[in-house]
């Protein structure tokens, strides 16, 4: 068995902090929409806004880190072994076959992960951030020249739809994290930084 450092300390801190912020944003966001009553509307709204600013700050830091370290290259889509990975998750995983992709410090994400992250970064994230900021600055729409161009109803609909898409992504991400052997291997790698295979 070989042991490789795959995830740096910054990546692990970024990952777990982002996970905490996304989950708490989903929890407070769904409470704001009245799906349940835990903190109360006012507290949930204030907390949701504070968490959103914290996540925006984290993302700005992470974007800077990715571009200054060259780590952004791990997210470039590729078709190399894409079909093999799809066939593995489509059936091979249930037959006990080995995963066709071995990650290392130079290629951390398999082709399917790269496509999923690309969809998250270019699809879900822009919608949730733009609609969220429009929501937060609703009282400034007139000064920004946006009044009459948008309705709060459609902004809220877009934000909620993106939040559900983020929830689906999160559920899929957690599920995929435990589809390895041993079942905790990916979790361990994201805690220690080392991948054993």
């Amino acid at each position: 068995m070989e042991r490789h450092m795959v995830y740096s300390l910054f990546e692990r801190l970024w990952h777990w902090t982002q996970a905490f912020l996304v989950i708490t944003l989903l929890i407070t966001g769904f409470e704001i929409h009245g799906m349940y009553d835990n903190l109360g509307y006012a507290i949930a709204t204030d907390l949701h806004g504070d968490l959103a600013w914290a996540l925006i700050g984290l993302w700005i830091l992470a974007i800077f880190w990715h571009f200054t370290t060259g780590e952004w290259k791990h997210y470039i889509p590729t078709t190399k072994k894409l079909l093999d990975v799809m066939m593995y998750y489509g059936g091979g995983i249930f037959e006990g076959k080995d995963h066709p992709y071995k990650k290392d410090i130079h290629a951390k994400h398999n082709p399917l992960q790269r496509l999923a992250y690309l969809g998250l970064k270019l699809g879900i994230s822009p919608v949730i951030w733009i609609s969220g900021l429009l929501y937060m600055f609703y009282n400034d729409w007139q000064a920004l020249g946006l009044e009459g161009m948008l309705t709060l109803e459609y902004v809220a609909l877009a934000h909620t739809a993106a939040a559900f898409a983020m929830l689906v992504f999160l559920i899929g991400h957690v599920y995929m994290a435990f589809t390895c052997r041993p079942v905790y291997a990916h979790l361990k790698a994201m805690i220690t930084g080392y991948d054993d295979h």
Side-chain angles (χ1 to χ4, degrees), residues 50-86:
D50 293 341
L51 292 166
W53 284 119
L55 188 55
I56 287 172
L58 180 66
W59 279 22
I60 291 171
L61 181 63
I63 288 169
F64 175 78
W65 179 81
H66 276 89
F67 279 103
T68 55
T69 60
E71 289 291 315
W72 60 273
K73 294 175 185 173
H74 293 281
Y75 299 90
I76 297 174
T78 178
T79 56
K80 186 178 178 183
K81 290 194 175 184
L82 176 61
L83 187 59
D84 293 339
V85 173
M86 292 174 70

